[in-house]
Amino acid sequence: DAVSISLPSVKPKTLIGEASSLIATIKKTGLTFAPEAGSERMRKLLNKDFNMEEFFKVLEQAYASGYQNLKLYFMIGLPFEREEDLEGIVDLSIQAMDLRRKMHKGPAQLSISVNTLVPKPHTSFQWFKMEPIEAMKYKQDYLRVKVKNKKIKLSAHNPYMSFVEGVFSRGDRRLSRVILSAFKKGARFDAWDNYFMFDRWMEAFKDSGIDPGFYLQDKTKDEFLPWDFLDTGINKETLLRESDKIVDKA
């Protein structure tokens, strides 16, 4: 009774069978899964291996074993995202919550974590633009309205922080001037919400003569990217092929 185990995000098939039975003998905390997207179309676009049949089978086993807390991770701002993909996040979350109710145990306590995709360098998304702040806020508000339920807690990453993260993820050496300027203005521990001040960063961009939006635009396939000189073991041609597949799947 003195031991509890909290698992990180795992694939559903990992918990099918013996692992699920073993964990069931220990004090329950919660289970975490990362479907990443609410629709099968978006999961294919992300090349996400997440079997829905296995997912609900694991949930049924977990609920039967006494679990009642569930956390799901999703991303928004994906290329070619539609409103029905956001609806898919809502539908999947409600189904996962209600499955426990159908087992006559009451609905699960569900936490949903939503982050905006930052199209990072050295990935097949590096040529795609990043979602603008207003679009991030609209989609987060859309989900909050749709999942209004006392059993569901939705948390979304600060869109202004996502914006700054995107700029520096896709930036070049000129941004060193921005970092120094922001530091001189008092920027410290800005990964923490209570220290982050977006206006301070925008002032630093302005003082440095840099438009942050430039870094978040679409990139052409023949464009030299600031990080192209780095060798990560995956060549650019492979990433280009994967990027083309994303367009084809959309």
Side-chain angles (χ1 to χ4, degrees), residues 92-238:
L92 175 55
S93 300
I94 291 176
Q95 286 178 50
M97 179 189 71
D98 278 345
L99 177 61
R100 194 172 187 276
R101 191 203 307 270
K102 292 177 181 178
M103 298 171 66
H104 308 291
K105 292 177 175 290
Q109 188 70 48
L110 180 62
S111 296
I112 306 173
S113 179
V114 178
N115 291 294
T116 300
L117 173 72
V118 176
K120 295 285 181 71
H122 309 296
T123 73
S124 53
F125 290 93
Q126 66 181 4
W127 291 279
F128 292 97
K129 68 179 180 180
M130 184 174 169
E131 194 92 308
I133 290 175
E134 288 307 313
M136 294 185 223
K137 291 166 64 178
Y138 170 81
K139 291 179 179 181
Q140 290 178 3
D141 290 342
Y142 179 91
L143 291 172
R144 287 190 183 97
V145 170
K146 290 287 184 175
V147 299
K148 253 182 190 175
N149 186 304
K150 63 182 181 180
K151 286 290 185 178
I152 300 178
K153 178 184 177 183
L154 187 145
S155 62
H157 192 252
N158 185 324
Y160 298 99
M161 294 179 75
S162 294
F163 176 88
V164 173
E165 178 189 345
V167 172
F168 283 99
S169 295
R170 295 159 62 91
D172 52 33
R173 67 188 67 186
R174 294 182 300 159
L175 291 179
S176 60
R177 303 200 301 264
V178 179
I179 295 173
L180 179 59
S181 176
F183 178 80
K184 288 179 177 178
K185 294 175 185 294
R188 305 286 191 280
F189 304 109
D190 279 45
W192 299 352
D193 264 310
N194 53 326
Y195 286 98
F196 177 76
M197 291 180 62
F198 183 66
D199 289 345
R200 182 162 51 200
W201 283 100
M202 294 306 289
E203 289 172 9
F205 285 120
K206 185 177 180 180
D207 292 348
S208 304
I210 291 176
D211 173 17
F214 165 79
Y215 296 101
L216 304 182
Q217 298 172 353
D218 282 314
K219 309 290 184 182
T220 61
K221 297 297 174 68
D222 56 355
E223 183 177 347
F224 182 81
L225 303 173
W227 49 86
D228 277 346
F229 72 98
L230 296 171
D231 183 4
T232 63
I234 303 175
N235 62 52
K236 194 172 182 178
E237 289 68 30
T238 300

Side-chain angles (χ1 to χ4, degrees), residues 6-12 14-15 30-36 48 50 71-74:
S6 179
L7 295 176
S9 174
V10 292
K11 288 185 177 180
T14 305
L15 291 179
L31 291 176
T32 302
F33 297 96
E36 303 290 8
K48 175 70 177 181
F50 193 87
K71 186 168 188 176
L72 301 178
Y73 284 100
F74 294 100

Side-chain angles (χ1 to χ4, degrees), residues 19-31:
S20 178
S21 301
L22 178 62
I23 294 170
T25 65
I26 302 171
K27 184 179 177 181
K28 316 299 185 297
T29 51
L31 291 176

